[in-house]
Amino acid sequence: MSSNPTANMWNPLSRTFLLPGELTSQQPKLYSKPALASFDLREYLEGYKGMTKIRRAMYVGEHCTALAQDSYLIALDELESTTYNAKLHTEVSKRLEQFGVALPDRGEWKKDVEQRSQRENQELKKEIARTKAGNLISECQRAHVDLANLCAKIGSTEEAFRALQSAREFCGDANSHGELQVSTVRISQATFRWMQINTFAQRAISAMTTRHQQSDGTDVWIEGSVIQIQANFGDAKWQDAIKELNKLDIGEVAASEVFEVGNTTAKDFAIYATLSALMALGRKEVREKYINNFGYSKFFEAMPECLELLKRFYDSNYSDMLVLLDTVLSFCVLDPVIGPHVSQIKGRVIDNIVVIYATPYMAVSLERMAKDLHIQSADTLESIVVKLITSKRISARIDVVSGYLYKHKVDPRDATLKNIEKMYKSFDSQVDLVKAHIMFLEEESLRPTGSKA
Amino acid sequence: MTTQYSNLVNAESKSALVKSLQDWRSPVSDYSAETFVPLLNILDPKSNTLAYAQVLVDALGLAVSVNEFETLAEPLSRFATQIQLEQVESFPEILRRLTRALAQMAQLSENNAQACTVLVDMVGALNQQMALTRLPPMTIEDIIQHKQRLGVGSSHGVRLTPLHIECLRQCLLARRRWLYERVANEVVATRLDAIGRLDTQRLRPFLEYHHYAGMVCAGLGRMEQALQMWRMVFAVPTRFVSAIQIASFKRFTLAHAIVHGKRGTLPPMFVPAHVRSIESVAAAYVALADVCASRQLGAAVKTVRDMNSELVSDGNAGLAQRLLDELPAHCVRACADVYTRLPLKHLAQVVKFSDHPRGGAGDGADDVVDALGRYIQEMNDPCVVLEETDAGIMVVRFVDAQATVPPVQGATQSASIPGVPLETQWSVAIAARAQEANVLQKYLQELDHHLALTRDYVSRSRDV
């Protein structure tokens, strides 16, 4: 019996550890191969590097049996070429064996990476000691960052964070502090702990007093913003993601090197932007900010389906748009960022469409609306409309008898009088309370000392 | 009679009378209550209030049988209407003795209604006399310019006495609707100007008075008034949370859910730490109010059933039942924010009326629909209208509760909904209310200012 009670528990998102309180013995939901015609697993994973690629490949393997074997093989290749993580290698190998894949013995490789990692560890520790003794601040910081990257390669993420924590005292200026935060973010991105990633990204941005380009050509501000958008999507914070998107100059993002880092791809960014637009924006804004925005051309090239979605949305071709959306989301379910929230995202897109559809009309037939929006039935649409009316996104009332939705107008004079009445009642009640309070305190102040309350 | 009573009746001066009362020892049970009746017939309660009161107290203390109490009924009622405030003020302790004696009488005779009637008369007489001592009301300019105290001090205006509280207590024990109405109209409706010094205690009587007053109003179905009374329990500062405040909070929570369909908030001046303590003690009530706010009939019924023992022991089972009765009305009215018309059957499904005791009595869906139809008719809400379509389907139509009527050229007909002002009056109504609200807001700001000044006194406040 293992001493670790979590040892035999399934581990969501391919982590080799569990977040506090996250004990589950449930199996992940399985999906079929994406219906997206242009989808190719190898091409999809090619945009990522290092641990991000490995974790994503494992996520695909856990959620799609048809692609599991290929994705685990890709993960294994990446593990062997870019990491020293023997433990994860063993785990992935075990998963592949379940598919009957005969793998060559990698004992030599494991021995070799262990020796190399120990050697590099020692060298880096010596370097840290030397630079510390010689008061060489920037070299010392770099050595710490290299040590952190080494720990991440071995698979000791907590050790990596500790090394980065120690590096903080060797930050000479705001720029080096910002770069350190970016290093922290890059390592943490593979953990899929979105709240933590978001915090690190915010720190990276706020550490910079001016826009700064790192030695690898990436702009700290742009990278931090893109990571924040991804983290907000991972955490299902749609409004925050949209706010961050609105702050960005898309042309700058397209021209930056941020997607060369290997943690986020242009395809990911296209999907985040498109889904944000479909969830929150109107047709006019979609045309101005997305369709007619040349800055997005790079991203739509990587994912042409996104542009098609936005065009159908703008053309009010909602039924075809929703069909294409289902196709795109069949791919998104295999993405660890968006995958857990796909049904929520679709719900929000439908809500937005209903609001846009209903807004221009004084009265609209629910039956007709359900047909146009490709919604199952008028009853399903009614429950969506009820939700939107209750959350005040639509000012309308449903006449179930006639099957129509009528725009609801509030008489401003009526509203004013009601507000005044409410205010008056509230003041009236408060006055009595405060008068009693003061009356008591004043009498207390006049009472001779020593007498009982 | 004896020297003791002789000295009482023939006291040379007020101070001698008060001294005699301070050292008073009630007679042993060698006497009977009837022995005092001739003395009471001789004494004039108006000119000799204190002596009369003390004799009454002793007589009531010795009475044990219903007959004895009946012989004292006439002297009691005479005293009740002729009690003199000025004399009572020189020895306020007499009120406490009277209160105790009347409470004992109610207990032994098992006639709370009689005790309450006497008390209402006494309180009414005292209130009338106290009202004459009221100072002229201060204007806002007086407060601002002269920085005068807002309170009238503890010796002017209508003040709390032990009789007020016992009156309410006896009313609640008597459980007579006519008595509830009389107490509500004559005692509770009279505005208190001060807590005063007619009781040696101060804080507890204030809390008790408003707690019982709330219960009287709730018993009559005057929920808004009950809510205001229970809010007043949290108006005064206390160092610790009182059991009376906890009991008031529980009733306040239920009453607020009855009236508004959701949990109420305590006054902002009440210490937040105390609010948290009270909410944790009354957690079940808070949970019930939250369930009601979510408009889940089934969950509310289950919650009430689960906390039945707590409700019964707190004496709140009636209020909880009332809450369950009102809850479907809130659910139906909430539908007015979403629907203009819907079939009654559909409404029954939306509000899940079958989960409610009123809806679950029958066997089939039609029974639930019919039950809901009856319920809506009993609601008697002009904004929720039951109609039958040409196809014979019962439909619920929601009408906006308009405060104003849209302008119609040359129309002179009265509003279809009672209380709705006509077009020509709406601007006057809005202007008047806006002005009153402004005046109150200014007054409130000055009260806040005074509160800041009186914070110095808070440090001298005593424990309850």
Side-chain angles (χ1 to χ4, degrees):
Chain A
M1 179 96 170
S2 166
S3 58
N4 179 3
T6 67
N8 293 324
M9 296 270 193
W10 172 73
N11 213 335
L13 298 180
S14 312
R15 295 194 292 273
T16 53
F17 52 86
L18 291 169
L19 293 176
E22 199 190 299
L23 295 177
T24 176
S25 57
Q26 280 183 329
Q27 288 301 314
K29 196 171 172 190
L30 291 172
Y31 300 97
S32 51
K33 197 174 161 182
L36 207 58
S38 60
F39 175 76
D40 179 83
L41 178 65
R42 208 159 274 277
E43 202 185 302
Y44 161 59
L45 290 171
E46 204 56 39
Y48 304 101
K49 294 175 185 167
M51 280 309 293
T52 303
K53 184 172 181 176
I54 296 161
R55 295 280 184 214
R56 279 180 174 266
M58 289 179 75
Y59 188 87
V60 171
E62 280 157 9
H63 290 82
C64 180
T65 319
L67 298 172
Q69 190 175 326
D70 289 339
S71 58
Y72 287 135
L73 281 168
I74 293 170
L76 209 62
D77 280 341
E78 191 68 17
L79 271 164
E80 286 173 7
S81 54
T82 62
T83 76
Y84 298 152
N85 199 336
K87 198 172 163 189
L88 191 58
H89 190 281
T90 310
E91 191 184 320
V92 174
S93 302
K94 273 195 186 137
R95 291 187 191 195
L96 272 168
E97 277 164 17
Q98 289 171 6
F99 290 95
V101 175
L103 294 166
D105 178 39
R106 300 303 287 159
E108 277 298 318
W109 174 82
K110 285 179 186 170
K111 223 172 159 179
D112 181 45
V113 297
E114 198 183 325
Q115 284 170 356
R116 265 198 279 165
S117 64
Q118 278 175 1
R119 194 174 56 241
E120 283 182 32
N121 200 342
Q122 280 166 5
E123 280 169 15
L124 281 168
K125 282 189 173 152
K126 274 188 197 155
E127 176 67 8
I128 287 169
R130 183 188 71 80
T131 50
K132 224 189 234 180
N135 207 23
L136 302 165
I137 294 172
S138 59
E139 282 94 339
C140 193
Q141 187 196 351
R142 210 174 307 124
H144 274 97
V145 171
D146 289 342
L147 179 63
N149 286 332
L150 175 65
C151 293
K153 268 170 100 173
I154 297 169
S156 313
T157 320
E158 300 307 323
E159 291 280 338
F161 285 138
R162 270 197 280 275
L164 289 166
Q165 187 84 0
S166 307
R168 281 170 70 180
E169 57 183 279
F170 301 104
C171 291
D173 56 16
N175 288 341
S176 59
H177 186 67
E179 287 193 20
L180 180 65
Q181 292 298 334
V182 169
S183 303
T184 314
V185 169
R186 286 180 184 175
I187 291 174
S188 69
Q189 261 188 299
T191 65
F192 302 139
R193 288 177 183 167
W194 305 118
M195 209 185 309
Q196 192 180 50
I197 293 168
N198 208 339
T199 308
F200 290 144
Q202 279 171 13
R203 281 187 199 161
I205 293 170
S206 57
M208 311 306 298
T209 47
T210 54
R211 292 284 289 270
H212 170 69
Q213 215 157 27
Q214 298 186 98
S215 49
D216 61 1
T218 54
D219 184 308
V220 170
W221 191 82
I222 291 177
E223 189 170 352
S225 302
V226 168
I227 292 167
Q228 264 194 292
I229 292 165
Q230 186 182 60
N232 283 326
F233 257 85
D235 231 357
K237 289 183 183 164
W238 320 118
Q239 293 301 327
D240 293 344
I242 291 160
K243 264 190 223 159
E244 288 302 323
L245 261 169
N246 287 338
K247 283 186 205 167
L248 286 174
D249 181 333
I250 301 301
E252 274 187 13
V253 177
S256 75
E257 304 283 325
V258 66
F259 301 111
E260 305 305 316
V261 175
N263 285 335
T264 321
T265 62
K267 197 176 246 183
D268 290 335
F269 193 82
I271 292 172
Y272 302 149
T274 304
L275 293 177
S276 305
L278 295 177
M279 281 195 283
L281 299 183
R283 293 171 54 248
K284 199 174 159 197
E285 282 174 297
V286 161
R287 187 185 64 169
E288 282 167 9
K289 291 186 178 173
Y290 291 82
I291 299 173
N292 291 351
N293 188 341
F294 187 68
Y296 273 106
S297 54
K298 171 180 172 178
F299 304 109
F300 292 146
E301 270 171 29
M303 186 82 180
E305 289 83 0
C306 288
L307 180 61
E308 188 55 32
L309 269 173
L310 292 169
K311 280 183 176 168
R312 290 183 190 184
F313 178 83
Y314 176 72
D315 292 338
S316 304
N317 186 359
Y318 299 121
S319 53
D320 288 347
M321 192 221 90
L322 286 168
V323 168
L324 181 56
L325 182 67
D326 280 336
T327 310
V328 170
L329 290 178
S330 72
F331 156 68
C332 290
V333 290
L334 300 180
D335 182 316
V337 180
I338 303 175
H341 313 299
V342 156
S343 51
Q344 216 191 109
I345 290 172
K346 186 172 176 185
R348 284 184 158 251
V349 171
I350 291 174
D351 287 351
N352 195 30
I353 290 172
V354 169
V355 170
I356 291 171
Y357 186 106
T359 303
Y361 297 105
M362 290 299 293
V364 61
S365 159
L366 288 170
E367 195 85 39
R368 172 71 189 268
M369 204 194 318
K371 196 174 157 198
D372 287 346
L373 298 184
H374 203 57
I375 290 173
Q376 240 173 340
S377 66
D379 289 338
T380 315
L381 178 61
E382 186 188 317
S383 57
I384 296 172
V385 171
V386 167
K387 185 179 59 167
L388 292 172
I389 292 173
T390 315
S391 61
K392 298 196 191 317
R393 287 190 68 186
I394 297 180
S395 178
R397 297 287 185 268
I398 304 172
D399 184 340
V400 176
V401 176
S402 63
Y404 269 74
L405 180 69
Y406 291 102
K407 188 168 255 179
H408 179 72
K409 276 189 152 180
V410 177
D411 184 354
R413 298 178 314 209
D414 212 65
T416 307
L417 183 56
K418 281 183 184 168
N419 281 339
I420 295 278
E421 288 276 3
K422 202 172 155 187
M423 211 188 332
Y424 180 84
K425 270 190 190 158
S426 162
F427 283 148
D428 208 14
S429 161
Q430 279 186 58
V431 160
D432 284 341
L433 289 167
V434 179
K435 272 169 85 174
H437 193 97
I438 292 177
M439 171 183 79
F440 180 83
L441 289 175
E442 284 181 349
E443 288 186 38
E444 278 291 293
S445 71
L446 293 173
R447 189 159 49 83
T449 49
S451 51
K452 232 172 116 175
Chain B
M1 283 189 59
T2 64
T3 323
Q4 196 183 9
Y5 285 99
S6 171
N7 291 343
L8 183 70
V9 170
N10 302 315
E12 288 160 358
S13 63
K14 202 190 260 185
S15 53
L17 175 60
V18 168
K19 178 89 177 52
S20 168
L21 284 169
Q22 277 170 348
D23 301 331
W24 189 262
R25 293 282 176 270
S26 290
V28 296
S29 51
D30 287 348
Y31 298 114
S32 70
E34 285 140 341
T35 322
F36 293 90
V37 174
L39 179 56
L40 288 168
N41 287 336
I42 296 167
L43 276 175
D44 177 21
K46 225 176 193 170
S47 56
N48 218 340
T49 298
L50 287 176
Y52 199 104
Q54 186 58 59
V55 174
L56 255 181
V57 166
D58 291 343
L60 286 169
L62 290 169
V64 288
S65 68
V66 171
N67 284 336
E68 284 177 318
F69 286 123
E70 273 176 20
T71 55
L72 293 171
E74 197 272 327
L76 257 176
S77 65
R78 195 170 355 120
F79 176 75
T81 50
Q82 295 181 32
I83 181 171
Q84 294 300 302
L85 172 70
E86 202 189 327
Q87 295 179 47
V88 160
E89 275 177 332
S90 57
F91 187 63
E93 170 64 17
I94 195 66
L95 292 175
R96 189 170 286 286
R97 292 178 189 176
L98 256 173
T99 306
R100 252 185 261 132
L102 287 166
Q104 190 181 314
M105 176 188 97
Q107 194 182 0
L108 290 174
S109 66
E110 293 178 356
N111 193 347
N112 302 97
Q114 185 194 21
C116 182
T117 309
V118 168
L119 282 160
V120 173
D121 291 336
M122 269 191 227
V123 166
L126 282 174
N127 280 351
Q128 264 180 4
Q129 293 168 58
M130 286 195 279
L132 296 173
T133 65
R134 272 180 180 149
L135 295 173
M138 275 184 288
T139 62
I140 290 180
E141 284 70 29
D142 289 333
I143 298 166
I144 296 168
Q145 281 177 20
H146 304 299
K147 302 285 184 207
Q148 290 186 29
R149 286 184 183 279
L150 275 163
V152 297
S154 49
S155 49
H156 293 276
V158 176
R159 286 149 274 159
L160 263 186
T161 70
L163 295 173
H164 285 74
I165 294 144
E166 191 59 30
C167 175
L168 295 178
R169 208 174 76 86
Q170 291 300 329
C171 173
L172 291 167
L173 289 169
R175 294 171 170 271
R176 300 269 197 277
R177 191 173 176 89
W178 59 268
L179 209 46
Y180 271 61
E181 281 177 3
R182 195 175 165 207
V183 166
N185 295 336
E186 293 180 30
V187 179
V188 176
T190 307
R191 185 172 55 89
L192 281 183
D193 299 303
I195 301 172
R197 283 186 244 121
L198 290 171
D199 192 330
T200 49
Q201 291 203 358
R202 296 168 46 69
L203 188 56
R204 193 187 165 96
F206 184 89
L207 299 181
E208 275 186 317
Y209 174 79
H210 287 96
H211 177 66
Y212 291 147
M215 288 169 71
V216 168
C217 297
L220 287 170
R222 298 180 194 176
M223 287 300 173
E224 286 281 7
Q225 208 177 344
L227 282 173
Q228 186 58 11
M229 287 294 126
W230 283 323
R231 264 193 214 106
M232 292 291 271
V233 172
F234 303 96
V236 293
T238 56
R239 193 160 283 189
F240 305 105
V241 171
S242 149
I244 300 169
Q245 286 172 331
I246 293 173
S248 295
F249 177 78
K250 289 176 177 175
R251 291 188 167 118
F252 172 78
T253 303
L254 290 174
H256 201 278
I258 290 169
V259 175
H260 300 289
K262 58 183 179 178
R263 189 169 28 142
T265 49
L266 293 178
M269 67 196 67
F270 196 61
V271 176
H274 290 176
V275 172
R276 285 192 292 274
S277 303
I278 291 177
E279 284 180 353
S280 74
V281 170
Y285 286 81
V286 171
L288 173 58
D290 287 340
V291 163
C292 293
S294 67
R295 307 279 184 257
Q296 293 171 39
L297 286 177
V301 170
K302 185 177 177 301
T303 309
V304 169
R305 206 181 304 132
D306 291 342
M307 58 186 283
N308 185 55
S309 55
E310 190 177 346
L311 287 167
V312 167
S313 68
D314 291 339
N316 291 331
L319 267 180
Q321 189 53 48
R322 177 98 193 249
L323 172 59
L324 282 184
D325 287 342
E326 279 296 317
L327 195 53
H330 288 299
C331 295
V332 168
R333 287 190 196 107
C335 290
D337 292 336
V338 178
Y339 298 97
T340 55
R341 276 193 315 169
L342 73 167
L344 191 60
K345 197 171 178 179
H346 194 115
L347 181 62
Q349 286 165 1
V350 167
V351 304
K352 296 199 179 78
F353 196 64
S354 57
D355 292 342
H356 192 266
R358 289 279 303 260
D363 291 330
D366 289 342
D367 294 327
V368 174
V369 173
D370 291 339
L372 180 58
R374 283 192 295 274
Y375 184 90
I376 289 174
Q377 278 168 345
E378 284 168 19
M379 270 170 66
N380 201 21
D381 187 337
C383 298
V384 182
V385 179
L386 210 50
E387 304 175 326
E388 194 171 344
T389 61
D390 296 336
I393 301 171
M394 292 306 293
V395 152
V396 178
R397 184 164 60 90
F398 296 104
V399 180
D400 273 344
Q402 294 245 316
T404 62
V405 173
V408 176
Q409 289 288 347
T412 55
Q413 70 273 20
S414 57
S416 55
I417 298 172
V420 172
L422 294 174
E423 170 63 22
T424 51
Q425 295 171 334
W426 76 265
S427 57
V428 172
I430 287 182
R433 269 299 192 237
Q435 199 188 10
E436 282 177 55
N438 274 338
V439 168
L440 274 177
Q441 190 183 23
K442 220 173 163 186
Y443 198 24
L444 201 58
Q445 280 167 358
E446 286 310 314
L447 287 175
D448 276 341
H449 179 62
H450 267 265
L451 190 62
L453 290 177
T454 53
R455 277 193 209 286
D456 296 334
Y457 303 134
V458 175
S459 61
R460 291 180 59 195
S461 68
R462 308 293 191 262
D463 289 351
V464 176

